[in-house]
Amino acid sequence: MKLVDTHHDRWHEVTADDSTVAVPAAEPWRILTVAQWQSVRGSWPAEMPVGLVVDNDVDIESAADDLPRFALVALRFPKWTDGRAYSQARLLRVRFRFAGEVRATGDVVADMVPLLARTGFDAALLRADQSPATAQRALGFFTQGHYQGDVIEPKPHFARAAP
């Protein structure tokens, strides 16, 4: 799993007052809200990368038809205790076979990183007070794997072939 460094990230989330919601000419690496995407989807060039940010109360199925157009889907955690974005990530990977980057944003803490990886996230933008070193360490807690299946290894431990 990649931990996003905002100083070196090519993606830029478009704000509500940003005048670049329209198709940008020079800097295509934009992350749009669902509403912003709906306003420009007909004019956005197919070859120009675009990302979508989705709040955790949005039905991810509403974006299913446009998923092939997105290079990135950023899922928001408004609070670290609200896990609906985990379900959205799993749906993106398992049901919709989304192959682009799935990024966790919002109130993301280091302790969440192992479960983020298991549910289909590729990247996480940690909350400002969180340590990337701690998050990387958390990824190594279960080196022998997990008993339950997940997005990475769908079979439970008992159904896997013995080494």
Side-chain angles (χ1 to χ4, degrees):
M1 167 169 287
K2 174 178 83 172
L3 298 175
V4 178
D5 177 356
T6 56
H7 301 314
H8 297 98
D9 188 30
R10 65 179 165 188
W11 290 97
H12 168 71
E13 191 168 331
V14 176
T15 60
D17 61 334
D18 199 329
S19 62
T20 60
V21 173
V23 179
E27 199 175 333
W29 301 96
R30 303 290 182 188
I31 304 174
L32 307 177
T33 65
V34 173
Q36 290 167 338
W37 171 248
Q38 294 300 325
S39 71
V40 298
R41 73 187 282 210
S43 59
W44 199 276
E47 70 281 354
M48 188 174 287
V50 63
L52 184 71
V53 62
V54 181
D55 289 325
N56 71 345
D57 60 353
V58 172
D59 182 1
I60 202 68
E61 194 166 334
S62 66
D65 292 340
D66 289 332
L67 285 176
R69 304 233 6 227
F70 302 124
L72 172 142
V73 174
L75 301 174
R76 283 194 179 138
F77 285 86
K79 292 192 263 182
W80 70 269
T81 57
D82 187 336
R84 292 177 284 181
Y86 292 118
S87 299
Q88 290 173 316
R90 180 164 168 67
L91 287 171
L92 282 169
R93 294 295 189 208
V94 176
R95 183 181 298 169
F96 300 114
R97 306 277 186 234
F98 180 68
E101 181 178 316
V102 178
R103 179 181 289 192
T105 64
D107 196 24
V108 179
V109 297
D111 291 350
M112 295 167 61
V113 172
L115 187 54
L116 292 171
R118 293 188 69 206
T119 55
F121 286 91
D122 303 292
L125 178 59
L126 296 174
R127 196 172 68 192
D129 67 336
Q130 297 296 295
S131 163
T134 301
Q136 284 295 346
R137 231 179 7 261
L139 282 171
F141 288 162
F142 297 98
T143 57
Q144 301 300 317
H146 297 275
Y147 183 78
Q148 308 88 348
D150 56 31
V151 172
I152 298 166
E153 173 52 65
K155 291 181 181 179
H157 184 69
F158 71 86
R160 298 177 206 150

